[in-house]
Amino acid sequence: MVEQSRYWTIRRINSFNQGCNQGLVITAAREYFQQQFPQFSDVTVLSKEQNQLVQNLLLSQFKNQEHQIDIYQRAIAGLCLRCFVSYDILGAVRRLVSNFGLKYDFHVADILPLVLNDDGQSLIVLNDEGTSQQVLDGNGQPQHSSYNFFAVEVLRTFQRSLTSQSLRNWTYSLIKQNSELQNFLLREYGLCLVSDWALLNKAKPERLDGLNHLLLDAFHRVYRRDRRQQRQTGRCLEPSTAQLNEMLAILQASGVIINSPSELMRELRRVAELVRQERIWQQRGYPYYLQPLDKTDPDTGEIDPPDPNANVDSEEAEENEWLEFCREQLIDVFTWAIEQGIRDRMVDLQNRRRYAVFASQLIPGLRLFYCQSMSQRQIAEMLEMTNQTQVTRILQPKELLKQVRFLTVNTLLERILERAKEFGLIGVSQKPDYLSNLMEQVEVFVDDELFNQAIAELRSGTRNRSSQYAEYLCRYLKSLS
């Protein structure tokens, strides 16, 4: 059920507080709607079937599929639809904030101006090819528009005959794919909206090692091949069961045994998350190394090639290469350290006579603590433990964090030293001052990226556990269920 007034009332940004006002009535749009649909004059709310009839007619007029109407009518039909879509844009942004805002700490007012940019004052049509927006001048003549309205892009790209999505869902999809919004969320809040499959489709296997490299290589050999053969463009869909089974066979030939397509899906999503986090860290940068993210198509994951004329001296190039290596290794090391840290904690409980019986409660307890943000008192009740102190002694979240940090720092340092040997820096890497300084730099690097926020969360006692450490730990704990 849809109120008719949505077709002549536009939601706009309030210039005073960047919020959204209750809507501005567009008289020309209301008069045109009532002229086109006199059969609905006695109702204020349209049924689903009536609303679809209205949309189909207005879309055909706006896209010039009914050649008997003039350019002004096309523009007003589009204006009615722009009013309608403005509500869906606001709803889509609210949905996006509902899904990600709490975790990444952003609000509707932070991102709404990026997509709700139509004030309803200009008359817009599409060019004859339907590929670009044109604005009508004072004489009613179409002119090139230097400024594109997002609502018009929603209408321009929407083809009901080619998609099963409603206009509302199409709007949400385009908002998630909006490059300006994507870059803003990535840069300011560390949220990467690119899909797992788009990330994997264009990720570089040589940037990963071990099992991750083999998984990505198998994915490319099947998934990329099929996209090329089927001439698929745009959105990267989830791999089919047939594709996953073919990947399993390729991995088995390489000595990698994964038991089922569903298990392979989990592994591929894990690799995608590694790639995602690398992109986030690249975009957000480091205090001593700020590098913008490559421009990426949100649907295909295709990356613009680097500028071959970029002038980077040899010393800077060498520093960048080392930083790139550290960044890649940190992702892999950190994931392993979480798994190993929990294993170590489990073994420790099993070897303590008083607490061996509670070893099986470690994983459920950590899930409640990190994934459901429960207090230790609530966890004691859920797991039927004696008191809160017992929960603390079993979970020991501070000790677990210390162990994961220790494993991350030391393993990353080992990999850096191995790399130094490959570069012929063995003598330098064995000097005490070099090792001491390097250890300090690695600790600062790791703490800045992963552990400072997690430590602050535990010290403050907050139940809003949104650090990178908490996010990765929660994801691993969920994978064990």
Side-chain angles (χ1 to χ4, degrees):
M1 305 291 282
V2 174
E3 291 188 6
Q4 283 192 42
S5 60
R6 280 188 55 174
Y7 285 98
W8 61 73
T9 307
I10 194 166
R11 303 303 296 265
R12 305 192 306 174
I13 293 294
N14 185 325
S15 60
F16 292 102
N17 57 18
Q18 296 297 296
C20 189
N21 63 20
Q22 293 302 307
L24 174 70
V25 173
I26 307 295
T27 303
R30 180 175 59 190
E31 292 175 349
Y32 186 77
F33 182 93
Q34 293 171 345
Q35 173 192 341
Q36 293 294 306
F37 305 102
Q39 67 270 39
F40 302 139
S41 60
D42 295 332
V43 299
T44 57
V45 178
L46 302 174
S47 68
K48 180 179 179 181
E49 293 75 18
Q50 291 170 333
N51 186 55
Q52 186 162 324
L53 183 151
V54 169
Q55 283 188 9
N56 288 344
L57 178 60
L58 292 176
L59 280 167
S60 67
Q61 293 176 343
F62 175 62
K63 294 190 174 186
N64 201 24
Q65 294 168 342
E66 296 191 7
H67 299 288
Q68 67 272 23
I69 67 173
D70 61 30
I71 195 169
Y72 178 78
Q73 288 179 289
R74 285 164 49 194
I76 298 298
L79 185 56
C80 291
L81 290 168
R82 286 156 57 192
C83 290
F84 185 90
V85 168
S86 70
Y87 285 79
D88 287 339
I89 291 174
L90 177 60
V93 168
R94 286 173 173 168
R95 181 176 166 189
L96 196 63
V97 172
S98 175
N99 290 339
F100 303 103
L102 180 62
K103 181 177 180 180
Y104 291 91
D105 193 28
F106 63 89
H107 307 278
V108 170
D110 296 323
I111 63 175
L112 189 61
L114 298 174
V115 286
L116 193 64
N117 60 352
D118 189 349
D119 61 6
Q121 300 303 301
S122 301
L123 292 181
I124 304 294
V125 294
L126 302 179
N127 64 357
D128 292 340
E129 295 77 25
T131 57
S132 63
Q133 301 182 24
Q134 296 180 322
V135 60
L136 298 189
D137 62 18
N139 298 317
Q141 297 300 311
Q143 306 293 335
H144 171 72
S145 176
S146 60
Y147 183 79
N148 286 339
F149 295 119
F150 180 73
V152 178
E153 284 303 292
V154 171
L155 300 172
R156 186 185 69 80
T157 56
F158 181 66
Q159 296 285 348
R160 193 183 298 279
S161 61
L162 300 180
T163 178
S164 60
Q165 294 189 72
S166 65
L167 187 55
R168 173 182 296 176
N169 288 339
W170 183 256
T171 302
Y172 182 65
S173 296
L174 285 196
I175 281 180
K176 288 181 65 178
Q177 298 167 25
N178 181 276
S179 60
E180 184 180 4
L181 177 60
Q182 280 193 335
N183 290 336
F184 178 78
L185 290 174
L186 188 59
R187 181 180 67 252
E188 299 297 329
Y189 301 103
L191 171 59
C192 179
L193 290 175
V194 180
S195 74
D196 289 344
W197 315 117
L199 284 171
L200 291 179
N201 186 46
K202 283 299 179 179
K204 299 178 181 179
E206 62 269 19
R207 296 169 74 92
L208 302 172
D209 57 12
L211 174 62
N212 296 329
H213 176 96
L214 295 173
L215 286 165
L216 185 56
D217 179 66
F219 180 85
H220 282 177
R221 289 170 63 181
V222 176
Y223 193 85
R224 277 183 172 177
R225 178 205 64 202
D226 288 352
R227 281 182 66 86
R228 286 195 297 266
Q229 290 180 352
Q230 298 168 17
R231 296 184 178 180
Q232 294 177 351
T233 59
R235 185 181 179 188
C236 290
L237 301 176
E238 184 176 285
S240 66
T241 301
Q243 289 176 317
L244 292 169
N245 282 326
E246 188 175 353
M247 294 177 208
L248 287 172
I250 293 173
L251 290 167
Q252 186 174 8
S254 301
V256 178
I257 306 301
I258 296 178
N259 297 319
S260 66
S262 59
E263 184 179 343
L264 177 57
M265 282 283 281
R266 288 195 296 271
E267 287 296 310
L268 290 172
R269 288 190 183 279
R270 179 185 59 78
V271 176
E273 186 59 27
L274 297 180
V275 177
R276 185 183 305 278
Q277 292 305 319
E278 181 188 17
R279 294 183 66 77
I280 291 171
W281 291 334
Q282 278 183 316
Q283 175 66 26
R284 304 196 81 181
Y286 303 97
Y288 46 87
Y289 178 60
L290 299 177
Q291 175 182 342
L293 183 67
D294 296 329
K295 295 180 180 178
T296 305
D297 186 296
D299 284 327
T300 65
E302 294 183 358
I303 300 172
D304 292 344
D307 181 7
N309 299 316
N311 183 23
V312 182
D313 61 40
S314 59
E315 182 177 348
E316 183 180 358
E318 182 177 343
E319 179 184 355
N320 290 349
E321 184 176 350
W322 273 98
L323 291 171
E324 191 72 12
F325 171 79
C326 292
R327 207 162 40 238
E328 293 171 4
Q329 296 302 311
L330 178 60
I331 299 170
D332 192 47
V333 167
F334 181 48
T335 305
W336 167 83
I338 285 178
E339 297 176 5
Q340 188 61 45
I342 291 179
R343 291 194 195 101
D344 293 346
R345 180 70 192 130
M346 183 74 74
V347 170
D348 181 62
L349 284 173
Q350 291 169 343
N351 291 336
R352 295 167 65 185
R353 185 166 54 87
R354 291 182 57 190
Y355 290 99
V357 68
F358 295 110
S360 62
Q361 301 284 47
L362 175 64
I363 301 301
L366 288 173
R367 281 199 201 103
L368 295 174
F369 185 79
Y370 279 103
C371 305
Q372 298 186 32
S373 300
M374 287 191 180
S375 67
Q376 295 190 15
R377 179 184 58 79
Q378 292 173 315
I379 295 172
E381 294 174 357
M382 287 287 294
L383 300 183
E384 299 181 348
M385 294 182 181
T386 305
N387 52 45
Q388 180 176 331
T389 301
Q390 195 174 57
V391 174
T392 303
R393 289 175 178 172
I394 293 167
L395 302 187
Q396 290 194 334
K398 292 181 181 179
E399 291 301 314
L400 176 60
L401 188 150
K402 286 172 60 178
Q403 175 68 355
V404 173
R405 179 185 180 278
F406 171 83
L407 292 169
T408 301
V409 170
N410 282 274
T411 308
L412 181 60
L413 180 62
E414 290 174 3
R415 295 194 182 186
I416 291 173
L417 292 175
E418 284 297 319
R419 182 68 170 230
K421 291 179 182 179
E422 294 175 11
F423 276 78
L425 302 176
I426 299 176
V428 175
S429 66
Q430 292 175 340
K431 292 181 180 180
D433 288 346
Y434 177 89
L435 291 176
S436 177
N437 292 335
L438 181 59
M439 172 65 85
E440 182 178 347
Q441 291 177 25
V442 170
E443 287 181 332
V444 171
F445 170 70
V446 168
D447 285 343
D448 281 346
E449 294 305 316
L450 298 175
F451 293 106
N452 282 340
Q453 185 181 358
I455 293 170
E457 285 175 352
L458 290 178
R459 284 177 177 171
S460 68
T462 178
R463 286 163 61 184
N464 178 24
R465 301 173 185 106
S466 58
S467 62
Q468 291 276 9
Y469 170 80
E471 179 183 351
Y472 264 79
L473 181 57
C474 181
R475 188 175 297 111
Y476 174 69
L477 292 167
K478 287 181 177 179
S479 74
L480 298 177
S481 58

